[in-house]
Amino acid sequence: MLLKDYTTLGVGGPAELWTVETREELRRATEAPYRVLGNGSNLLVLDEGVPERVIRLAGEFQAWDLKGWVGAGALLPLLVQEAARAGLSGLEGLLGIPAQVGGAVKMNAGTRFGEMADALEAVEIFHDGAFHVYAPEELGFGYRKSNLPPGGIVTRVRLRLKERPLEEIKRRMEEVDAARKGQPKKKSAGCAFKNPPGHSAGRLIDQRGLKGLRVGDAMVSLEHGNFIVNLGRATAKDVLALLKRIQEELPLELEWEVWP
């Protein structure tokens, strides 16, 4: 399989792809070296692909109950909307993040309105051949990072949600949505760089005049400086060269994960 078909940026080479639907299948899949692929956002896969087995969670790992356990393969945008309809608050700040729950936990996905860690009550993680439950404070959450056990795979979470009036939740979501209006619609992996303390990476890139900078079919978005977009036929080589050009101008730390 070519991983470009499973990433939001639309680049990436070959890999052995396993879709697992049960706990027993997950145990078997992890008997060889592996990586875990969520929704494919916040990820740059190189053109040569990866030698490890790539695991995707489906089946029981996509089942969820907002007042119980939520599978790591569930789509975060769907949960945000369903929680709002149920009058449950706590996920509004994550509106628009194109991630599965497990990936959002691993990178502590978020916006300036809130992070994934804020909404967690408990996290189940598979590692060392068994399933373990952790409290959020045990997992070292920080700005766009966590400290999961080595080789750990998030399998499900319990959410910390509170009942709120529907109108209050909708107002909060409208505020978050308004802040997203300038994001590009072309293929991208989300914000490429972490915001330096007290600054916006996108604004710094814009001020340096780098919007529209292009290598092959990879381009710094004209709508938002912190997005690299695929104009159609971009390769990982194009994207890496473009990221390097930006980092030659600005000391920014990459937010994406890069495979391998």
Side-chain angles (χ1 to χ4, degrees), residues 123-146:
V123 181
E124 183 185 76
I125 300 174
F126 177 78
H127 65 93
D128 300 321
F131 294 85
H132 308 264
V133 176
Y134 293 86
E137 53 269 23
E138 297 179 272
L139 297 176
F141 288 113
Y143 174 59
R144 302 299 174 267
K145 67 177 183 179
S146 65

Side-chain angles (χ1 to χ4, degrees), residues 164-202:
R164 290 277 191 269
L166 185 56
E167 287 305 313
E168 182 181 321
I169 295 173
K170 288 176 66 175
R171 282 196 301 271
R172 175 73 167 164
M173 290 176 69
E174 287 168 359
E175 181 183 6
V176 178
D177 192 44
R180 298 175 51 245
K181 292 300 184 184
Q183 295 183 3
K185 302 299 186 289
K186 293 184 176 67
K187 288 183 179 180
S188 85
C191 288
F193 299 102
K194 295 181 180 180
N195 290 323
H199 296 279
S200 161

Side-chain angles (χ1 to χ4, degrees), residues 47-91:
D47 299 317
E48 60 267 31
V50 295
E52 300 91 350
R53 178 175 294 167
V54 173
I55 297 171
R56 299 184 76 223
L57 299 179
E60 69 177 76
F61 299 108
Q62 292 180 321
W64 51 271
D65 176 357
L66 288 170
K67 294 185 178 181
W69 287 102
V70 174
L75 287 173
L76 188 58
L78 178 60
L79 289 182
V80 173
Q81 297 292 343
E82 289 297 315
R85 280 191 278 269
L88 296 172
S89 175
L91 297 177

Side-chain angles (χ1 to χ4, degrees), residues 18-230:
W18 281 46
T19 299
V20 301
E21 299 188 355
T22 68
R23 294 184 167 222
E24 184 54 38
E25 287 180 1
L26 181 61
R27 286 190 174 94
R28 290 200 300 271
T30 54
E31 290 173 354
Y34 62 87
R35 295 171 181 264
V36 181
L37 178 66
N39 199 44
S41 58
N42 208 65
L43 176 65
L44 174 61
V45 181
L46 300 192
D47 299 317
E48 60 267 31
V50 295
E52 300 91 350
R53 178 175 294 167
V54 173
I55 297 171
R56 299 184 76 223
L57 299 179
E60 69 177 76
F61 299 108
Q62 292 180 321
W64 51 271
D65 176 357
L66 288 170
K67 294 185 178 181
W69 287 102
V70 174
L75 287 173
L76 188 58
L78 178 60
L79 289 182
V80 173
Q81 297 292 343
E82 289 297 315
R85 280 191 278 269
L88 296 172
S89 175
L91 297 177
E92 299 94 309
L94 306 176
L95 180 70
I97 295 175
Q100 289 183 354
V101 168
V105 171
K106 181 181 179 183
M107 71 161 292
N108 193 21
T111 67
R112 60 190 174 91
F113 298 94
E115 298 176 326
M116 189 69 203
D118 300 332
L120 295 174
E121 182 178 285
V123 181
E124 183 185 76
I125 300 174
F126 177 78
H127 65 93
D128 300 321
F131 294 85
H132 308 264
V133 176
Y134 293 86
E137 53 269 23
E138 297 179 272
L139 297 176
F141 288 113
Y143 174 59
R144 302 299 174 267
K145 67 177 183 179
S146 65
N147 187 22
L148 303 185
I153 301 174
V154 178
T155 50
R156 57 180 185 168
V157 305
R158 290 183 70 94
L159 298 173
R160 183 182 292 123
L161 305 178
K162 295 182 179 180
E163 293 186 359
R164 290 277 191 269
L166 185 56
E167 287 305 313
E168 182 181 321
I169 295 173
K170 288 176 66 175
R171 282 196 301 271
R172 175 73 167 164
M173 290 176 69
E174 287 168 359
E175 181 183 6
V176 178
D177 192 44
R180 298 175 51 245
K181 292 300 184 184
Q183 295 183 3
K185 302 299 186 289
K186 293 184 176 67
K187 288 183 179 180
S188 85
C191 288
F193 299 102
K194 295 181 180 180
N195 290 323
H199 296 279
S200 161
R203 187 172 297 114
L204 292 172
I205 291 168
D206 188 10
Q207 291 171 350
R208 194 57 65 99
L210 299 177
K211 279 186 175 179
L213 183 65
R214 179 172 173 177
V215 175
D217 259 10
M219 185 181 77
V220 179
S221 170
L222 295 171
E223 291 90 353
H224 193 303
N226 202 16
F227 282 74
I228 305 297
V229 296
N230 182 349

